[in-house]
DNA sequence: ATCTTTTACTAAACCGGTTAGATGACAAAG
DNA sequence: CTTTGTCATCTAACCGGTTTAGTAAAAGAT
């Protein structure tokens, strides 16, 4: 039988209350005598007492658990942040529940409500839609990676538009005149900003925007769609030589496509991609990438969430800069 | 104010008990009249009642939460399994708490105890030591990837020794006579089995085992150590031409090393590695890899855990076969 | 010597559910 | 006409903590 406060109370000959005070380090404050404190601590130790976290949470209303909800935890970008969020949260005595939404708003909603009913203290979320904030009502929430509205605060992201602009310019500066954009069909604010940055760079460099060079990939069928998109682009009479991929998964699949189907073109093309991957270091075509500061994103997200949990009011959104790795 | 059973009871003019029965679908069984049931359901719906999961868990002793504990959730192998475990668990109404141990037994112990105090129903664990089972005592536990003892049951792994044997033989069949082994210095049963398979293959093919071709990598410094190991090996007077890497992270770093420091050798070497990575499809040196069946590992782990949660006795361990992808 | 404060500790309510056992009403059986 | 059984519902205890509002005794102040 697992010992409870009651067990200790009986064995130490005091009340539950006293035991609770002492074990929570409030012994002095509550004027519990040194001898009694000693006896209680000794008993607790002897019985190897471990408090029941659920019971505590139920009465305090704090579960010391946060949620980490992203489209796909197996995506290396989110996996890395998960690891870091978990580490920071643990330092603060929090555990982390994770869930993947598959980029589906309905599933996201279900997950958030399930977590809320589990009395989670707050959620770090990479939202798939602008609706999510509604379902969480009063639960502390920090959105990262995708920011649907800056107004509510509590957001962490990067300078998407500027980064896309710079990535595109790098390709232009390397002499590429026709630059394809491999984007996503679902509406996400970070993606929208990146598209803008791409357009802006073309405009500034007096390259006209050819709509045929822009391909939208369906999230659910990305692997198949990227192969099709790249193949179509390379089959054009005037094919692009520079490619901007709006995230690492798309770029990885793009590299795969070239290597499997167009290996002879690997040297003549140049890629640019959001997010870094280790493989970009040696992949062909060469990939210039924009590294997002995972550590800072994770740390800031947790910090912001803790702030809201403690103080119940939002902090201003934070926007980090990416680091462009030229290859 | 969030509505509770009490709120509904008051508004519907019945007792908490009756509400509890009805909302748990035990209305018929408990002979609650149709009219009362209707009224209760209507009230619950009107107030948008959501049960407090903590309170329920406290009284039933079931939290419908499981833990997923691995060395590093950002490792793609574990990330993929995490995603799948999460999906299967969700289907069964469970949430998942994740934690990374950093391959440290002490941290693993802390995590397991913290989870236990959170009244988790069970844990899916990739253990870093043989000790973990002790700290979980009566908590349902399934170990995957690393199996320290088959005797206790509840284990899921793959045919490590045979796979290593086959991978090594592939290298031999491709004409490589000197085959390096990039291993890990920490003792893990899966790694030990893989080393055995390597030795067995050399022996069977009458190649003598050159200890200098075996390099142990320190988990904490893998990136640095792999570069050093590969560089040393290639600097030998009679350097190896085949390399067996005991996991995907090591192999990825090996590929990086060749591409950065020895690009002229990329074509003459051949790698073999445990676990698949997308980048193996186009990386040079070519990589023959052993794909582990993530879906089946995840599904079986969850199934096994659920079995133990329900029936409180262990199932026999399961061992899956890998799929070798020749490149 | 009496009043006030401090010390050391406890009883009981509470968090929000679940559940064993009781209860009163009514119908069928003996 | 009592007994037994079923129906419909409720009371109260319980899960294991936290916390408010005490209380009795000892110490300090007037």
């Amino acid at each position: 039988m697992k010992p409870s406060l009651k067990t200790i109370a009986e064995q130490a000959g005091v009340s539950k209350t006293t035991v609770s005070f002492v074990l929570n380090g409030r012994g002095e404050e509550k004027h519990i005598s040194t001898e009694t404190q000693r006896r209680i601590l000794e008993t607790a130790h002897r019985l190897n007492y471990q408090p029941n976290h659920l019971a505590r949470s139920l009465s305090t209303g704090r579960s010391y658990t946060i949620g980490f909800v992203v489209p796909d935890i197996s995506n290396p970008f989110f996996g890395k942040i998960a690891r870091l969020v978990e580490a920071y949260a643990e330092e603060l005595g929090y555990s982390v529940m994770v869930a993947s939404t598959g980029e589906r708003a309905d599933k996201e909603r279900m997950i958030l409500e399930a977590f809320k009913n589990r009395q989670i203290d707050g959620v770090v979320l990479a939202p798939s839609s602008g609706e999510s904030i509604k379902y969480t009502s009063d639960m502390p929430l920090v959105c990262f990676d995708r920011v649907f509205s800056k107004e509510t605060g509590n957001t962490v992201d990067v300078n998407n538009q500027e980064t896309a602009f710079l990535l595109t310019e790098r390709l232009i500066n390397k002499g590429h005149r026709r630059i394809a954009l491999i984007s996503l069909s679902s509406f996400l604010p970070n993606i929208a900003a990146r598209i803008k940055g791409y357009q802006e760079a073309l405009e500034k460099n007096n390259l006209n925007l050819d709509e045929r060079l822009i391909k939208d990939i369906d999230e659910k069928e990305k692997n198949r769609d990227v192969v099709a998109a790249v193949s179509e682009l390379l089959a054009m009479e005037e094919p692009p030589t520079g490619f901007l991929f709006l995230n690492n998964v798309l770029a990885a699949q793009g590299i795969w496509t070239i290597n499997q189907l167009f290996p002879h073109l690997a040297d003549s093309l140049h890629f640019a991609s959001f997010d870094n991957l280790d493989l970009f270091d040696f992949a062909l075509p060469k990939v210039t990438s924009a590294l997002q500061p995972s550590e800072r994103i994770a740390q800031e997200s947790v910090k912001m969430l803790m702030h809201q949990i403690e103080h119940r009011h939002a902090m201003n959104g934070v926007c980090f800069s990416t680091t462009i790795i030229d290859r």
Side-chain angles (χ1 to χ4, degrees), chain A:
Chain A
M1 205 35 214
K2 252 196 90 181
S4 69
L5 278 192
K6 203 177 153 200
T7 322
I8 297 176
E10 280 161 6
Q11 301 220 6
V14 293
S15 73
K16 252 170 72 174
T17 311
T18 310
V19 178
S20 175
F21 287 154
V22 172
L23 296 185
N24 286 317
R26 300 175 61 197
E28 293 311 316
E29 171 199 342
K30 292 291 178 177
H31 310 289
I32 309 299
S33 71
T34 324
E35 158 57 15
T36 305
Q37 294 210 38
R38 210 215 83 255
R39 207 167 65 248
I40 290 173
L41 291 170
E42 187 268 321
T43 311
H45 188 256
R46 182 164 49 77
L47 298 177
N48 187 29
Y49 171 74
Q50 302 287 121
N52 181 325
H53 218 278
L54 284 186
R56 172 175 294 165
S57 299
L58 180 61
S59 73
T60 58
R62 294 275 301 258
S63 62
Y64 285 92
T65 301
I66 62 173
F68 182 73
V69 181
V70 293
D72 180 3
I73 186 72
S74 70
N75 172 323
F77 173 69
F78 293 122
K80 193 162 179 196
I81 294 187
R83 167 88 201 247
L84 296 161
V85 162
E86 188 211 308
Y88 294 128
E90 203 219 281
E91 272 176 33
L92 301 166
Y94 280 76
S95 291
V96 181
M97 304 197 76
V98 302
S100 304
T101 65
E103 208 78 88
R104 285 172 41 204
D106 57 332
K107 186 142 184 233
E108 180 178 298
R109 177 183 186 158
M110 274 184 49
I111 291 168
L112 290 174
E113 298 206 318
F115 278 11
K116 205 173 153 189
N117 294 337
R118 281 180 150 83
Q119 310 301 119
I120 261 186
D121 291 337
V123 170
V124 172
L125 170 73
S128 297
S129 89
E131 308 293 286
S132 20
I133 301 161
K134 296 176 194 161
Y135 311 130
T136 54
S137 57
D138 55 334
M139 174 166 64
L141 176 71
V142 169
C143 291
F144 77 103
D145 192 44
R146 299 97 180 274
V147 173
F148 282 87
S149 159
K150 294 247 181 207
E151 289 150 39
T152 51
N154 279 348
T155 57
V156 179
D157 70 343
V158 298
N159 56 344
N160 284 296
Q161 184 171 341
E162 189 189 348
T163 301
F165 176 84
L166 292 172
L167 283 174
T168 310
E169 269 211 333
R170 299 272 172 136
L171 293 176
I172 296 171
N173 292 342
K174 285 178 202 302
H176 300 280
R177 300 284 108 186
R178 286 180 65 71
I179 297 170
L181 177 67
I182 312 295
S183 178
L184 285 172
S185 53
S186 50
F187 175 78
L188 293 171
N190 56 346
I191 296 299
R194 293 172 192 183
I195 295 173
K196 258 197 187 167
Y198 163 80
Q199 293 169 335
E200 192 189 356
L202 294 186
E203 200 170 319
K204 195 187 148 206
N205 290 273
N206 301 315
L207 295 174
N208 67 325
L209 185 77
D210 184 345
E211 289 289 349
R212 293 170 307 164
L213 294 182
I214 300 182
K215 297 289 186 184
D216 290 331
I217 305 298
D218 179 7
E219 182 68 31
K220 277 124 212 148
E221 292 288 355
K222 11 182 194 209
N223 285 358
R224 202 196 57 187
D225 278 14
V226 169
V227 173
V230 171
S231 303
E232 276 173 39
L233 287 164
L234 292 175
M236 290 172 76
E237 72 273 32
E238 217 184 335
T241 54
F243 285 72
L244 176 62
F245 292 86
L246 291 195
N247 72 40
N248 57 0
V249 178
L250 299 178
Q253 186 64 8
I255 294 168
W256 187 90
T257 307
I258 300 298
N259 282 273
Q260 299 298 307
L261 306 178
F262 308 93
H264 53 289
L265 295 176
D267 283 323
S268 60
L269 303 177
H270 202 112
F271 282 7
S273 170
F274 262 80
D275 310 328
N276 196 38
L277 282 180
D278 290 344
L279 74 96
F280 290 167
D281 278 336
F282 52 79
L284 279 179
K286 289 208 189 298
V287 188
T288 289
S289 68
L291 178 63
Q292 296 198 42
S294 317
E295 294 83 0
R296 300 181 69 189
I297 293 174
Q299 188 163 29
E300 188 61 33
S301 298
V302 172
K303 190 177 133 197
M304 216 176 243
L305 186 63
M306 292 302 152
H307 180 90
Q308 208 191 349
I309 291 173
E310 303 286 344
H311 304 95
R312 291 282 150 184
H313 68 84
M315 283 172 81
N316 287 332
V318 165
C319 181
F320 292 117
S321 291
T322 55
T323 306
I324 293 190
I325 303 173
D326 212 315
R327 294 192 186 85

